[in-house]
Amino acid sequence: MSNDFRPLQGIRVVEMTHMIMGPSCGQVLAYLGAEVIKVEPPAGDKTRHLTGMGRGFFPSFNRGKRSITLDLKAEAGTIALDRLLATADVFVENFRDQSLDKMGFAPSELRNKHPKLIITSCKGFLRGPYQDRTAMDEVVQMMTGMAYMTGPTGRPLRIGSSANDIMGGVFGALAVLGALMERQQSGQGRALRIGLFENCLMLVMQHMVQFDLDGREPAPMPEREFSWPVYDIFDTLDQRQIFVGAVTEGHWQILCNAIGLEHLLEDSRLQTKMSQIEARHWTIPIFAEAIKKRDFTELAEILEASGIPFSPINRPADMYRDPHVLRPGGLQHSMLSGGQVFRAPGLPIEVDGDSPRPASLDVADVGHDTENVLSELGLSPSEVQAASGAVNRRTA
């Protein structure tokens, strides 16, 4: 069965990250069957304790991982990490370069010690003038023009998701897969670096290239020049909102017939796609009036049967009521250490018609696997306590 799709089974990943970018990289690798050991400080990853908008960060991106604690301020902790890395295939980290250097875990040093290790560094920037800057998703959205393109003029607005962090993590996992394939032939690891800023450049690339080719800066998305006759949000009779798009000549004809606007098909001013786009200032109010005569459900049935792109204007919470999301495999159940269960999407792929998933999707408690993992490395009980910070926690 496809639920057993675990091509990375037998691959050990040591993940020393926080927030979203690094954890999402480890999350993808865990979904593909890797054993992911999350290394946390003695008090646990601070992301565990976020509230409000950050409440979902840790549980979303740390499902199916083992958790150990190491006190990397103590020699016993750094020795234990080094012994752990000697057993690993992949090391995922998102520390500042200087912090890794001070601990003796700079990529260059790790490659000398562990030549087969694939070091995956999730950073704010790739090498260059900004490489030592602190970056966050919102920072790079402001820097690259993403926020400018999202909000109206004068009101830059971050997009409503940590999309750069997540996509950066996916690029990290993609790079790991490539390095693992190469290692099968070369026997050597690689030092990989993934840039959050450069990831956001990929997301605004279409706007950059438009400017480079045409010499004109594109307007922010709320004020964009439309390339389609209908691509708008409308109100329905029952006071709901619906997005409707007609992006081809066929769509235009189908939509006009579907909602009783056949007369527009005979209008001499609307016989080409470009003329339809140029007439938006007077045709869109006509579409709005026709759409407002129908309830949302009726209109949705008409548009779906006609093959017209449409969507309700949903909120994230609405996804827990969406029939497609609720299809078998659409949501996967995970459990927090306290027993609370939550539902979250899996990877957006199917394998042989089914959704892959790791052996476990639960979220481990802080240090849940410390004793087992470190004991397997040959550490004695007292050495486990010293390396994990348990001694310091008891005497603090």
Side-chain angles (χ1 to χ4, degrees), residues 91-109:
F91 178 42
V92 181
E93 59 86 15
N94 65 351
F95 276 59
R96 292 177 64 88
D97 292 334
Q98 298 89 334
S99 299
L100 275 182
D101 292 348
K102 288 178 182 177
M103 290 188 290
F105 293 101
S108 57
E109 293 190 39

Side-chain angles (χ1 to χ4, degrees), residues 1-9 11 13 15 23-36 59-66 170 173 177 329-334 342-351 354-363:
M1 294 181 61
S2 296
N3 275 339
D4 296 326
F5 178 72
R6 293 170 189 147
L8 296 187
Q9 192 160 8
I11 297 295
V13 177
E15 179 198 308
S24 66
C25 177
Q27 178 86 98
V28 173
L29 298 175
Y31 259 95
L32 297 178
E35 174 199 24
V36 180
S60 291
F61 302 105
N62 290 283
R63 295 170 289 160
K65 302 177 184 179
R66 305 176 78 184
V170 173
L177 294 178
L331 290 175
Q332 297 171 346
H333 291 70
S334 299
F342 66 93
R343 298 161 293 161
L347 293 186
I349 62 175
E350 287 183 352
V351 180
D354 207 349
S355 300
R357 54 183 296 149
S360 170
L361 276 170
D362 293 341
V363 180

Side-chain angles (χ1 to χ4, degrees), residues 246-325:
V247 299
T248 69
E249 288 84 352
H251 282 166
W252 171 267
Q253 184 172 0
I254 292 169
L255 180 61
C256 288
N257 283 324
I259 60 175
L261 296 180
E262 295 88 346
H263 66 280
L264 293 181
L265 300 176
E266 307 301 325
D267 195 308
S268 60
R269 297 168 295 176
L270 301 172
Q271 296 307 302
T272 67
K273 183 177 178 181
M274 185 54 65
S275 65
Q276 294 160 8
I277 294 170
E278 291 172 350
R280 279 177 49 83
H281 64 283
W282 64 268
T283 58
I284 294 302
I286 295 174
F287 280 99
E289 183 180 357
I291 288 172
K292 200 164 188 177
K293 294 177 180 178
R294 290 174 168 82
D295 287 336
F296 176 88
T297 302
E298 176 197 0
L299 184 62
E301 291 175 354
I302 292 172
L303 297 177
E304 183 163 9
S306 303
I308 295 295
F310 77 96
S311 172
I313 308 303
N314 284 328
R315 295 172 295 184
D318 294 328
M319 294 300 94
Y320 287 113
R321 297 186 293 271
D322 186 281
H324 188 78
V325 176

Side-chain angles (χ1 to χ4, degrees), residues 36-109:
V36 180
I37 301 173
K38 186 174 182 68
V39 177
E40 303 186 53
D45 184 339
K46 291 182 179 179
T47 313
R48 285 181 179 269
H49 312 298
L50 295 177
T51 58
M53 189 71 78
R55 177 69 174 91
F57 287 7
F58 194 90
S60 291
F61 302 105
N62 290 283
R63 295 170 289 160
K65 302 177 184 179
R66 305 176 78 184
S67 171
I68 70 169
T69 59
L70 289 179
D71 183 0
L72 297 178
K73 295 179 181 178
E75 184 179 8
T78 58
I79 291 173
L81 178 59
D82 193 56
R83 290 177 69 170
L84 179 60
L85 291 176
T87 70
D89 299 282
V90 180
F91 178 42
V92 181
E93 59 86 15
N94 65 351
F95 276 59
R96 292 177 64 88
D97 292 334
Q98 298 89 334
S99 299
L100 275 182
D101 292 348
K102 288 178 182 177
M103 290 188 290
F105 293 101
S108 57
E109 293 190 39

